[in-house]
Amino acid sequence: MSQIDEQNWFNLVSQLFQRSDKQICIPDCQLAFLTRHQSIKDQINNDFQKLDILASFVQFDHSTTLIASNDENYRKAVQHLSTIVVSKKLIAKDKNLYLQRNLKLFEEEITLGIKSCINVDMIINIEDDFQSCSINVTGKRRDVSCAVLLLHCRLKHYYSHLIDTSIIIDELKMEYIQLYLKKSIQELEYLYHCSTSIQFNQPFKKLSDSDTNSDKVQVDIRCPKCYQVSVIEQLHRHFKNIKVEEDWIISKFSNLGIYLQSHARRKALIQALQKQFKCIIHIKERNYTLPWMQLGNDKSLKRQYQNQSSSTSEVSHSDVRPSKLISPTLSRSSSAVKVNEISIEIVQGGIETMEADVIVNSIGLGNYSLGTIAKSLWNAGGQAYKDDCNTKLANLTIDDIGITDGRYFKCQKIYHIPFLSSCKTVQWLISKITQCLKLANDQLMTSIAIPALGTGHIGLNVTVVAKETINAAMNFAMTNQGTRVKFIYFMVLKEDFRGNAAFNLARYNVKSNLALINNVIKSKSAEIQADQHQLTSLYSARYDVKDQKSFIINVYYGNIHNSHADGTLDLTEICQSHLESYGVTLEFNASSFSRSSLNEPPHEIQFWGQHPIMIKCCPYGMITRFDKVLKSINTAKINSIAFPFLGSESTEYDISLLFDKIFEFISHQRKIARNLQRIDFVINHWHRCLEMTTWVRNQIADYQLDLHLPGKWTIIQDFPFKPLGINIAITTSSHIAIKHIKTTIKELMPSLVSRTLTGLQNLSHLDENGWLLLKTDLWNQYSTILTKNCEGEQTYFTIYGLSEDIINATIELNRHAQRYYEEIANHDLQKFISKAATWQVKIDRFYYSFDEKLNYEIEKGYQLYQQDKTTLQNILLDAGSKTVNFKDMIISLPSNHSFSIKKASPDCFTIPPYWQYDNMNGIQNGMMCRMRVTEMIELTEIKELINNSGITLTSVERVQNWNLYQRYQLLKMTVAQAVDKYRPGTMVERRLFHGTKKEYTDSICREGFNRDYSRKSHGAVFGIGTYFTAKAIVAQYYGHVMIIARVLTGISGHAAKVNEPNLCLIPGSHGLKAHSVNISDKSTFIIFHDNAAYPEYILHYVHS
């Protein structure tokens, strides 16, 4: 070819192209193969030269062409090429063939490893149904054969039948996929021939009630078996990228929880969040399930259930409550009897081992070891006790009670009664035991232990002694409301079987009679109120460490003021530094109320008061430094504290922090003496108390699983139930998105604000205890803090909290004011009636006084009976639950029990000298009468009082109302005592004038003055009350009739605003109200107590 000139060469090539197109054609795939494989092409061209074939493969513009000198050479070249490079076409078609719909991916799968090790070219064509394909393989003959064999094996993988499979996923993830990843799932279905799609079925499995996780769903998949693994892997990859947080539980009673309980707000919030964050939000309320859910709101039934559930506990409920713990050497032989606020209990053991504030001893005068009980104390007390007795009891007489120090035993004081030198009768013994109980109350003792006296060698009947001593204790409890004594223990030796049987029988009889006595003497409202004063125990646990005192955690439902703890934590005081740092409006996020300031140290802790000791502590920073608070309490030697509600924004996390600090305190106190032994969580909100019980229960359960603790937690009383709250589940694509969503939800919380309240001057009357009660109640119910600031004579009240809480708290304050006005009026009236006319009922051998409300009803009925003794002999009382027959003086119950009653009126008041009567009984029976005054001495005295007022008397009537007069005299004694104590020399009583309308006269004479009428006649310019004047000329302008009244003006205070109650206090009296108001002209007086004035004379007159 080198001998051919260039022009002939190109002419020849042109001719060869034309001939080659018309005759033998080389497949394009082979030419393409040679184009990509230059070495093979060069090898073939070399073969042409060796075989003298005038032909060659030449590359023009990225394509290869065969040129030859003539047709014969062209044919030979093509023939030789076919021996080296071949093309084979592999065709696969079947209804069970499922090819990968992703062509690129299919090519990678089918050719994986073939091209890299075998020099072949492959052209893949797939039909639209992806169930048939052709693969054209080009290369050296041997390579093509090998590649075809491999391809054939690879294609077998795609021959498959459809199978059904399934996987389990969270329902929340399923919802997210269906809402946001639906397109991805459809692509997956298309790619892998999932003929009937991927089905998300309804929940097939409900988890247990205690599990807070979401339900599961089953994903059903129908796909070729060859793709089963790939489909599942792809689905799991999608599921793994979805993040779920479903354990965010918010209290239903927190402000955020209340906000989210509105379905409209909830729906709007979810829509906004899903639009902003591409997420799924589930907000679901979790209700609790209790064993007593069918019992409704009957608290007595709830308590009955609680008692039944606690009966299987390790220790009874009463074992947790007393402030003085019983020694391990002693044992209770029976359950306690609760009489009002006093627990009466029988304890087996020796008096010398008893833990109580007071123990009672029986001695002989001059012989302090005489008798079994005295000898036990004499031997156990040591020489110091003997010296103390010899010194302090030397001058003891038969009528006295000796007192020695109790530090030699487990008590504060020992009361010694000289029983062995007395007449040794049961009556003498009972009188001394009663004196000991009264003395213990006077000395502020909380518990007293009394042995079974006289039942040994003295030989008194043990049954009589047991009955009379326990009756004496019950009598003391019934007649001493508000006593300091809370526990009365009767000690009986364990081996004294007769004594134990007698005291247990007496206890049983008292317990049986107590319900009957209370049913008779107490009104139904009093019983309801007493029921509300009880605490219901929901949970109790004890932590025991070797050689250490036990530590007890209790949770109670009820008012914290009814707790028996030695101290009460008061969280209602914001310290001055926090008020200044946050400003007057306290504008910070509500969650920071319990979070942002947690790292701040607690401010000064203040202790004040007794029984219980109030422990004031600023709530800010209190949780994280609570161990320091406990150390301060421990240093103050306080044995038990009541812990109030933490606030509406408290969470289980806060309780977790709190318990960590409690445990730090317990662990640290192992090294030093620990006085604090018990913490009572007391919450007055039923549902929040259940919530707190769950949180405390969870913390104790976690501690029980900790094997590294030096001690052991024991559950004394359990209260399991499903926790409640609002569960927020968030499903989205990342944890960062979840964090942003939670922040957005928390920002819904309003800021804390403050409001200055007006029109609440009625709160000024509250003493320190009353003020604390009110503040604590507002904190427990509304998480608001009420403060009081005095500027001169003005008192301002500021309330801090969330706006909605402040509104609710303010409404409650207004209700409180209204209730106060009504209660104070009713209470004062009932109290004075009970003093002026005390009614008693005889049950067995004892007389018991009715409570004030029932006493008032009986006296009111008795007054009606005095007016009409014929038709009003039987009167229904106490909402129809009792009937009184005044003719026979008997009270009857629906159970057909009847008891004698009597009226024990005081005899200390004499009938005024001017009163006219035929016999004293006619006066003292309470009949009101108006007598015309005719005596000149009496008329002269009245005219001197009028003193040139410009009126002429036409007649004068004297009012004779013994009941009204007694009430007035009773109050006069009280006013006189206050004057002598706080303002000596002040005039207690004045004779003043009161003008009124004629139609009101009879009512005033019969029932007394009524301050409520001050707003109905001429208004209450200087506050609500009854107005009197020292000038008759002034009184005549207020009516056609003038009354001369005896008025207890006593100590005067400041006037109130128009139509507001007069609640000013006597300075230095700790809550005692002033007796009157004397306005600027010094001649007008206003009284606030209806019994503080007695209408003495009615003046009928004409103007001169």
Side-chain angles (χ1 to χ4, degrees):
M1 208 168 1
S2 59
Q3 297 174 358
I4 304 174
D5 59 21
E6 186 176 351
Q7 184 61 44
N8 292 333
W9 170 256
F10 284 110
N11 291 335
L12 177 61
V13 170
S14 177
Q15 294 174 5
L16 289 174
F17 276 140
Q18 292 177 3
R19 280 199 296 271
S20 64
D21 290 340
K22 292 179 181 178
Q23 298 181 11
I24 303 173
C25 181
I26 301 174
D28 291 339
C29 60
Q30 294 183 5
L31 294 174
F33 175 78
L34 295 175
T35 302
R36 284 189 289 272
H37 298 82
Q38 184 65 39
S39 60
I40 296 176
K41 183 170 61 177
D42 293 341
Q43 178 187 346
I44 294 174
N45 285 335
N46 291 332
D47 289 344
F48 288 164
Q49 290 182 6
K50 292 178 181 179
L51 296 173
D52 294 327
I53 300 173
L54 297 178
S56 178
F57 285 102
V58 181
Q59 186 168 335
F60 292 101
D61 297 328
H62 307 291
S63 63
T64 298
T65 303
L66 177 62
I67 59 174
S69 60
N70 52 42
D71 290 341
E72 181 63 22
N73 285 318
Y74 188 89
R75 184 184 60 79
K76 291 180 179 180
V78 172
Q79 185 178 4
H80 179 72
L81 174 65
S82 64
T83 61
I84 300 175
V85 178
V86 297
S87 295
K88 285 189 178 181
K89 191 172 187 179
L90 181 64
I91 298 175
K93 184 175 183 180
D94 195 285
K95 65 178 181 179
N96 291 326
L97 181 65
Y98 298 97
L99 301 177
Q100 175 67 265
R101 281 192 165 101
N102 186 329
L103 296 180
K104 184 179 180 181
L105 185 60
F106 175 72
E107 185 176 346
E108 290 177 356
E109 291 177 354
I110 204 72
T111 62
L112 181 63
I114 295 178
K115 288 185 178 181
S116 62
C117 63
I118 304 174
N119 288 328
V120 293
D121 282 354
M122 288 181 285
I123 299 174
I124 302 172
N125 292 310
I126 299 177
E127 299 298 329
D128 293 339
D129 61 358
F130 289 89
Q131 288 190 306
S132 63
C133 73
S134 62
I135 305 174
N136 192 58
V137 183
T138 304
K140 289 184 176 181
R141 184 178 296 275
R142 185 175 180 179
D143 290 342
V144 169
S145 298
C146 184
V148 168
L149 183 62
L150 290 174
L151 288 172
H152 183 73
C153 293
R154 295 279 174 86
L155 284 172
K156 283 184 179 180
H157 171 73
Y158 297 98
Y159 284 89
S160 179
H161 60 275
L162 295 176
I163 64 168
D164 294 322
T165 186
S166 64
I167 60 174
I168 306 302
I169 64 168
D170 291 338
E171 185 181 15
L172 296 174
K173 291 187 176 183
M174 177 271 289
E175 289 188 36
Y176 185 85
I177 288 173
Q178 289 184 325
L179 187 61
Y180 297 110
L181 300 179
K182 192 172 183 179
K183 186 177 179 181
S184 299
I185 297 300
Q186 289 174 347
E187 291 176 354
L188 194 64
E189 293 170 358
Y190 173 78
L191 189 62
Y192 293 108
H193 296 268
C194 299
S195 60
T196 57
S197 76
I198 298 172
Q199 299 292 334
F200 294 89
N201 293 332
Q202 293 300 317
F204 78 103
K205 176 186 175 184
K206 275 284 185 180
L207 300 183
S208 64
D209 289 341
S210 61
D211 202 325
T212 59
N213 293 329
S214 64
D215 292 329
K216 304 292 185 179
V217 297
Q218 179 172 294
V219 182
D220 292 332
I221 308 163
R222 186 175 179 82
C223 68
K225 185 177 181 180
C226 58
Y227 294 126
Q228 179 183 2
V229 175
S230 298
V231 171
I232 292 176
E233 285 180 353
Q234 290 292 329
L235 286 175
H236 279 301
R237 188 176 294 114
H238 283 302
F239 300 153
K240 186 177 180 181
N241 292 333
I242 301 171
K243 308 303 178 185
V244 178
E245 180 167 324
E246 52 184 326
D247 293 327
W248 188 23
I249 300 174
I250 296 174
S251 169
K252 290 174 64 174
F253 313 102
S254 65
N255 290 283
L256 180 56
I258 294 171
Y259 178 89
L260 293 177
Q261 286 184 49
S262 167
H263 292 286
R265 291 177 186 167
R266 189 185 302 179
K267 183 177 179 181
L269 173 66
I270 291 174
Q271 290 176 348
L273 290 173
Q274 289 183 167
K275 183 177 180 181
Q276 181 179 357
F277 293 103
K278 196 176 179 180
C279 62
I280 294 287
I281 306 291
H282 273 271
I283 302 176
K284 183 168 61 176
E285 294 184 30
R286 298 164 48 178
N287 297 318
Y288 58 87
T289 302
L290 294 175
W292 63 38
M293 284 298 292
Q294 292 78 17
L295 303 183
N297 295 321
D298 193 327
K299 292 183 181 178
S300 63
L301 291 177
K302 291 180 180 180
R303 250 194 302 281
Q304 180 181 354
Y305 168 82
Q306 176 243 314
N307 291 334
Q308 291 173 355
S309 64
S310 63
S311 64
T312 59
S313 303
E314 180 184 334
V315 183
S316 68
H317 172 54
S318 59
D319 291 335
V320 184
R321 294 282 297 281
S323 57
K324 294 292 182 182
L325 300 178
I326 301 299
S327 170
T329 61
L330 303 173
S331 63
R332 292 176 170 83
S333 62
S334 60
S335 59
V337 177
K338 192 85 174 203
V339 183
N340 289 334
E341 298 178 357
I342 298 179
S343 176
I344 302 174
E345 191 168 354
I346 300 170
V347 180
Q348 295 178 344
I351 191 72
E352 69 278 3
T353 61
M354 183 63 187
E355 289 188 27
D357 289 342
V358 175
I359 59 177
V360 177
N361 183 27
S362 169
I363 61 171
L365 292 176
N367 189 347
Y368 313 126
S369 63
L370 181 63
T372 304
I373 296 169
K375 188 175 182 179
S376 297
L377 293 174
W378 188 263
N379 294 333
Q383 188 59 44
Y385 169 71
K386 297 175 183 178
D387 294 341
D388 200 19
C389 290
N390 290 327
T391 302
K392 295 180 180 179
L393 304 180
N395 298 321
L396 186 69
T397 66
I398 196 69
D399 297 322
D400 297 332
I401 296 176
I403 303 176
T404 60
D405 201 317
R407 67 177 181 270
Y408 317 108
F409 306 95
K410 299 177 180 180
C411 62
Q412 295 185 37
K413 296 180 184 297
I414 302 176
Y415 292 171
H416 303 268
I417 59 175
F419 176 63
L420 300 179
S421 298
S422 70
C423 57
K424 302 183 183 67
T425 63
V426 175
Q427 290 76 12
W428 190 95
L429 179 63
I430 298 306
S431 67
K432 282 299 177 185
I433 289 176
T434 303
Q435 290 180 37
C436 288
L437 292 171
K438 292 179 180 179
L439 182 60
N441 180 49
D442 294 339
Q443 294 186 338
L444 305 181
M445 301 291 110
T446 60
S447 57
I448 181 171
I450 304 170
L453 300 174
T455 60
H457 67 276
I458 299 299
L460 295 179
N461 188 310
V462 66
T463 303
V464 175
V465 171
K467 178 182 177 182
E468 296 300 328
T469 51
I470 290 187
N471 279 338
M474 188 185 74
N475 242 352
F476 174 79
M478 295 292 293
T479 56
N480 288 272
Q481 297 285 344
T483 176
R484 296 289 187 181
V485 178
K486 302 299 180 187
F487 303 95
I488 301 176
Y489 303 113
F490 287 100
M491 307 296 301
V492 186
L493 293 176
K494 196 168 185 178
E495 58 272 14
D496 185 1
F497 299 109
R498 291 180 63 251
N500 278 287
F503 273 89
N504 276 303
L505 178 62
R507 177 200 61 81
Y508 176 79
N509 291 333
V510 165
K511 192 171 184 178
S512 301
N513 292 335
L514 184 60
L516 177 62
I517 294 170
N518 286 330
N519 192 24
V520 175
I521 68 173
K522 291 186 177 181
S523 64
K524 285 188 174 181
S525 60
E527 292 175 2
I528 294 173
Q529 187 176 12
D531 182 67
Q532 292 173 345
H533 287 173
Q534 300 296 322
L535 294 181
T536 300
S537 176
L538 296 186
Y539 183 81
S540 182
R542 185 184 66 239
Y543 183 69
D544 297 305
V545 184
K546 186 178 181 181
D547 300 328
Q548 293 289 324
K549 294 179 181 177
S550 297
F551 194 86
I552 297 174
I553 298 288
N554 298 320
V555 182
Y556 293 109
Y557 164 64
N559 196 312
I560 196 169
H561 310 308
N562 301 322
S563 170
H564 291 281
D566 296 337
T568 298
L569 199 61
D570 177 14
L571 302 180
T572 62
E573 293 284 346
I574 301 180
C575 65
Q576 191 62 35
S577 61
H578 277 115
L579 285 177
E580 293 172 356
S581 61
Y582 289 116
V584 178
T585 58
L586 283 179
E587 295 198 4
F588 54 97
N589 188 279
S591 61
S592 66
F593 184 70
S594 57
R595 294 284 196 279
S596 65
S597 57
L598 288 179
N599 293 326
E600 301 175 15
H603 295 265
E604 182 180 358
I605 300 173
Q606 301 177 4
F607 299 88
W608 66 277
Q610 288 184 340
H611 307 291
I613 299 170
M614 302 309 299
I615 307 160
K616 288 187 177 182
C617 179
C618 178
Y620 292 94
M622 188 273 299
I623 293 180
T624 54
R625 299 293 298 276
F626 190 57
D627 55 329
K628 306 297 188 301
V629 176
L630 292 176
K631 288 178 184 178
S632 300
I633 295 171
N634 188 68
T635 303
K637 297 184 178 180
I638 298 174
N639 294 330
S640 57
I641 62 169
F643 196 106
F645 180 46
L646 272 174
S648 63
E649 300 313 302
S650 57
T651 65
E652 187 167 6
Y653 175 73
D654 295 325
I655 301 302
S656 176
L657 291 177
L658 197 69
F659 266 79
D660 288 343
K661 297 304 175 183
I662 291 174
F663 199 79
E664 283 183 29
F665 164 76
I666 297 174
S667 302
H668 176 75
Q669 296 304 312
R670 293 178 63 196
K671 304 173 184 177
I672 59 176
R674 175 162 55 81
N675 300 303
L676 183 61
Q677 301 175 41
R678 193 177 88 237
I679 296 179
D680 296 339
F681 293 94
V682 185
I683 299 97
N684 202 23
H685 189 293
W686 173 245
H687 294 99
R688 295 236 59 168
C689 189
L690 294 178
E691 200 170 55
M692 172 66 81
T693 303
T694 303
W695 296 344
V696 172
R697 188 170 178 266
N698 291 343
Q699 290 302 312
I700 300 297
D702 289 343
Y703 283 132
Q704 285 183 308
L705 297 176
D706 191 346
L707 301 178
H708 300 291
L709 295 181
K712 176 185 177 183
W713 281 97
T714 303
I715 306 303
I716 298 174
Q717 179 179 335
D718 202 1
F719 192 78
F721 57 90
K722 183 178 179 180
L724 65 161
I726 293 180
N727 190 11
I728 301 180
I730 304 171
T731 310
T732 186
S733 58
S734 68
H735 290 297
I736 296 176
I738 290 177
K739 185 177 180 181
H740 289 325
I741 291 169
K742 293 177 74 172
T743 301
T744 303
I745 293 176
K746 289 177 181 178
E747 287 174 354
L748 295 172
M749 289 296 301
S751 298
L752 289 173
V753 296
S754 66
R755 296 284 184 272
T756 299
L757 305 179
T758 58
L760 294 176
Q761 297 307 312
N762 63 293
L763 301 182
S764 302
H765 75 280
L766 295 173
D767 58 13
E768 192 67 27
N769 286 330
W771 173 247
L772 178 62
L773 291 176
L774 177 62
K775 289 196 306 175
T776 306
D777 288 342
L778 291 179
W779 170 261
N780 286 333
Q781 293 185 53
Y782 306 106
S783 298
T784 55
I785 293 180
L786 186 66
T787 62
K788 176 172 60 176
N789 298 300
C790 299
E791 295 182 6
E793 297 180 357
Q794 295 294 327
T795 303
Y796 298 94
F797 299 94
T798 305
I799 189 167
Y800 299 89
L802 295 162
S803 298
E804 189 171 348
D805 291 336
I806 287 178
I807 292 172
N808 293 329
T810 305
I811 293 173
E812 178 60 30
L813 284 172
N814 291 327
R815 289 175 183 163
H816 176 274
Q818 183 178 358
R819 287 195 302 268
Y820 171 76
Y821 300 145
E822 295 172 355
E823 289 173 2
I824 201 69
N826 293 333
H827 177 70
D828 287 348
L829 179 59
Q830 293 169 9
K831 184 176 181 180
F832 278 97
I833 288 293
S834 66
K835 289 183 178 179
T838 302
W839 287 87
Q840 296 177 330
V841 60
K842 186 178 182 181
I843 302 177
D844 292 336
R845 296 177 292 106
F846 299 99
Y847 277 97
Y848 300 98
S849 298
F850 292 95
D851 67 18
E852 290 179 355
K853 186 176 185 299
L854 196 53
N855 189 91
Y856 172 73
E857 287 191 51
I858 295 174
E859 175 63 18
K860 190 176 179 180
Y862 183 69
Q863 296 303 322
L864 294 174
Y865 168 73
Q866 291 293 328
Q867 298 173 25
D868 185 358
K869 294 186 176 182
T870 303
T871 60
L872 295 177
Q873 291 184 3
N874 294 307
I875 295 179
L876 293 176
L877 303 174
D878 199 16
S881 63
K882 300 176 180 69
T883 304
V884 173
N885 184 317
F886 287 110
K887 181 181 179 181
D888 299 329
M889 284 295 180
I890 290 176
I891 187 170
S892 302
L893 304 179
S895 59
N896 295 327
H897 286 89
S898 297
F899 305 93
S900 298
I901 60 173
K902 70 174 184 178
K903 181 179 180 181
S905 300
D907 300 325
C908 55
F909 306 126
T910 59
I911 299 174
Y914 290 136
W915 283 21
Q916 296 172 292
Y917 52 90
D918 295 329
N919 60 74
M920 188 174 295
N921 290 335
I923 290 292
Q924 294 184 340
N925 278 339
M927 295 295 294
M928 187 277 294
C929 60
R930 292 161 60 171
M931 307 292 292
R932 187 180 180 88
V933 178
T934 57
E935 293 291 334
M936 187 57 63
I937 297 176
E938 197 172 357
L939 288 171
T940 302
E941 184 179 343
I942 293 171
K943 288 178 181 179
E944 289 177 356
L945 288 173
I946 296 174
N947 191 22
N948 299 324
S949 57
I951 62 173
T952 301
L953 293 177
T954 57
S955 66
V956 178
E957 292 180 283
R958 183 193 316 108
V959 179
Q960 298 182 181
N961 188 332
W962 179 244
N963 288 329
L964 209 59
Y965 184 75
Q966 282 187 108
R967 297 180 206 168
Y968 174 79
Q969 292 296 333
L970 279 170
L971 184 58
K972 183 177 178 180
M973 293 170 60
T974 303
V975 173
Q977 291 173 359
V979 167
D980 290 342
K981 184 175 182 179
Y982 300 109
R983 199 75 59 82
T986 301
M987 186 180 295
V988 174
E989 181 185 58
R990 286 180 169 86
R991 271 177 151 177
L992 301 174
F993 297 94
H994 179 81
T996 186
K997 296 180 180 180
K998 188 175 182 180
E999 56 265 29
Y1000 295 153
T1001 306
D1002 191 63
S1003 174
I1004 292 173
C1005 295
R1006 189 176 303 279
E1007 301 173 6
F1009 293 97
N1010 189 336
R1011 60 188 179 277
D1012 289 336
Y1013 284 100
S1014 65
R1015 289 176 286 183
K1016 297 180 179 179
S1017 54
H1018 294 276
V1021 180
F1022 300 103
I1024 299 172
T1026 305
Y1027 288 61
F1028 296 90
T1029 177
K1031 300 176 182 178
I1033 193 171
V1034 176
Q1036 65 180 315
Y1037 290 108
Y1038 292 92
H1040 303 294
V1041 178
M1042 192 183 305
I1043 297 175
I1044 296 178
R1046 290 185 178 272
V1047 183
L1048 300 174
T1049 54
I1051 301 173
S1052 296
H1054 301 286
K1057 296 180 180 179
V1058 178
N1059 290 329
E1060 288 192 0
N1062 286 282
L1063 300 171
C1064 50
L1065 304 178
I1066 298 175
S1069 66
H1070 302 291
L1072 189 63
K1073 287 173 59 177
H1075 305 125
S1076 65
V1077 165
N1078 185 202
I1079 60 176
S1080 56
D1081 64 358
K1082 302 298 182 183
S1083 65
T1084 300
F1085 292 86
I1086 309 167
I1087 62 169
F1088 333 123
H1089 202 298
D1090 294 340
N1091 292 318
Y1094 175 76
E1096 192 174 19
Y1097 295 102
I1098 303 170
L1099 308 183
H1100 303 276
Y1101 61 91
V1102 294
H1103 293 281
S1104 301

